[in-house]
Amino acid sequence: MNKAKIVSEDLNLYYGDFHALHGIDMTIRDREVTALIGPSGCGKSTFLRCLNRMNDIIPICRVDGTLMFEDTDIYAPTTDVVALRKRVGMVFQAPNPFPKSIFDNVAYAPKLHGLKDKTKLEEIVEKSLKQAALWDEVKDRLHKPALGLSGGQQQRLCIARALAIQPEVLLMDEPTSALDPISTLKIEELIRELKAQYTIVIVTHNMQQAARISDKTAFFLVGDLVEFDHTEVIFTTPKDQRTEDYITGRFG
Amino acid sequence: MSVRSDFHHALETLQQDLLRMGSYVEEAISLSTKALLDQDRQLASQVIANDDRIDRLQHDVEERCMKLIALQQPMAKDLRKISSAWRISLELERMADNACGVAKSVRRIAEQPYVKTLVNTPIMSSVCQQMVKMGLDAYLQEDIELAIKMSDLDNQVDALYKHIFNDLLQLMLKDPSVINQATQLIFIARYLERFGDHATNIAETVVYLVTGERKELNP
């Protein structure tokens, strides 16, 4: 069994009076793909956004319980959020490249973190684009605008951008929901490859996608973590009737 | 409420077709036994002719199972429902073949007086018929206990087979002129014994359908 990377214990989250996550206990393991599934409003994206404190930007949001990223208490007041987000990268639902060149998109964060050496930057850009399986398609036009890429390419660019600062964990919030089926399969293939080096947590509305790419699956329902197990178990012999009902399209 | 009502309806239709197949199998085994006891070649031929509809139904069920897997991405118990339907349809098809086997042997020996009174064979057949009924009930009601009870009956079938085999062997040793007919009678008992094994497989499939676990009943 891979070592624990992120451990959530009795994690509660409130948006004002609304109790959005109810005492979530979950262990996310190193170099595994963990999929979060459940109907809209179940708390899966909220949970994902806790992992690099993206919920901080919502003023009425309050969190209690513990969320440990290895030895770092994610929600401790002393935790440096910028340093945390350097280790826990994120890819969003719709591809959102900066209105800059392909090169500058990937080089942006390393530069921001103080890297000035041009050769080093070039190395990072190439390595990141290769890891994101985009290099061959863009190597001859690195200085062209990123917005000229197709949707699927833009999303892989966003993945390359996230990889450029060499995070340990990659959070993905429905990364293929805006993409065509072939681009989706490319991203899925990429996720399987990235797993060798990164811990990946993905929110997806596509259950077949969760089944195809993840090692573990967590099923959320109205703020509860109903069931968390090996993906194979969740999709073949789930233990909770609510999980069974959800994945087979029956709602009680 | 189901948000996949067409899909779930298709699963129910599969179940109904299996029940139909099951009733054909029950009829086939009961008619072939009647043909044996009444020495009725015509009835035996009818059983053989009827086998086509079971084969067609099996192909149809198999085809639909494949389509559902390819097009609907079934999960969890839905997937087991499909694999179970597929498996049970194959077992039923084999059971119907065994009934045909009985009928074919009947056609070979129906015109001669029997070398002995048939006592155990009809008992074996009625236990087999009971097994089909119980198997389909267990499948329909997803009743594991009933499935296990059904598979226990296979012990009776096996014991009767041994008995019949030994009786006929004794007869053949005493009087080689009966070998031709006695061999066919042993075949018939053997077909029934295989029939019981396939029924036991149905019981195992029911356990798998309900629990997701493989369990060998009556090994």
Side-chain angles (χ1 to χ4, degrees), chain B residues 60-113:
Chain B
D60 188 46
V61 166
E62 184 168 325
E63 195 73 23
R64 274 160 39 218
C65 286
M66 274 213 287
K67 273 191 195 153
L68 288 173
I69 291 170
L71 304 178
Q72 298 287 346
Q73 290 89 41
M75 295 286 190
K77 196 164 178 195
D78 286 348
L79 184 57
R80 290 203 299 282
K81 279 186 179 170
I82 294 173
S83 79
S84 302
W86 193 331
R87 170 89 191 259
I88 291 174
S89 76
L90 284 167
E91 300 297 347
L92 288 170
E93 192 270 330
R94 297 298 298 152
M95 289 158 90
D97 286 349
N98 286 320
C100 277
V102 172
K104 281 176 188 160
S105 286
V106 169
R107 287 208 301 197
R108 293 199 185 96
I109 59 172
E111 260 133 44
Q112 322 147 9

Side-chain angles (χ1 to χ4, degrees), chain B residues 51-216:
Chain B
D51 194 45
D52 269 0
R53 60 182 184 178
I54 294 175
D55 290 347
R56 278 199 304 272
L57 206 46
Q58 197 280 324
H59 287 155
D60 188 46
V61 166
E62 184 168 325
E63 195 73 23
R64 274 160 39 218
C65 286
M66 274 213 287
K67 273 191 195 153
L68 288 173
I69 291 170
L71 304 178
Q72 298 287 346
Q73 290 89 41
M75 295 286 190
K77 196 164 178 195
D78 286 348
L79 184 57
R80 290 203 299 282
K81 279 186 179 170
I82 294 173
S83 79
S84 302
W86 193 331
R87 170 89 191 259
I88 291 174
S89 76
L90 284 167
E91 300 297 347
L92 288 170
E93 192 270 330
R94 297 298 298 152
M95 289 158 90
D97 286 349
N98 286 320
C100 277
V102 172
K104 281 176 188 160
S105 286
V106 169
R107 287 208 301 197
R108 293 199 185 96
I109 59 172
E111 260 133 44
Q112 322 147 9
Y114 288 157
V115 295
K116 72 184 284 285
T117 316
L118 303 178
V119 180
N120 286 324
T121 311
I123 297 174
M124 221 178 149
S125 168
S126 74
V127 178
C128 283
Q129 289 170 52
Q130 206 186 336
M131 286 178 86
V132 190
K133 271 203 199 86
M134 287 167 78
L136 292 169
D137 280 348
Y139 167 64
L140 196 63
Q141 291 152 25
E142 299 188 359
D143 184 339
I144 296 182
E145 268 175 46
L146 186 62
I148 292 171
K149 218 186 267 174
M150 180 267 254
S151 69
D152 287 344
L153 288 179
D154 197 38
N155 292 331
Q156 280 185 44
V157 173
D158 290 348
L160 284 163
Y161 171 67
K162 272 185 202 133
H163 209 77
I164 292 168
F165 180 84
N166 287 330
D167 279 357
L168 289 163
L169 196 63
Q170 292 306 318
L171 274 181
M172 289 190 282
L173 288 170
K174 256 188 255 162
D175 177 6
S177 74
V178 304
I179 285 178
N180 191 30
Q181 192 190 101
T183 310
Q184 294 299 334
L185 290 172
I186 287 176
F187 283 169
I188 288 172
R190 177 70 179 161
Y191 285 128
L192 293 171
E193 190 271 329
R194 290 300 301 149
F195 189 99
D197 290 345
H198 288 297
T200 304
N201 291 344
I202 292 180
E204 286 172 1
T205 307
V206 170
V207 174
Y208 173 69
L209 167 67
V210 178
T211 63
E213 276 165 35
R214 303 259 174 215
K215 188 173 173 190
E216 197 168 352

Side-chain angles (χ1 to χ4, degrees), chain A residues 10-23 46 50 55 58-65:
Chain A
D10 196 24
L11 186 78
N12 288 282
L13 185 142
Y14 307 83
Y15 292 121
D17 293 336
F18 178 65
H19 193 178
L21 290 176
H22 309 160
T46 298
C50 287
N55 289 322
I58 302 166
I60 56 167
C61 177
R62 187 163 56 80
V63 175
D64 64 47

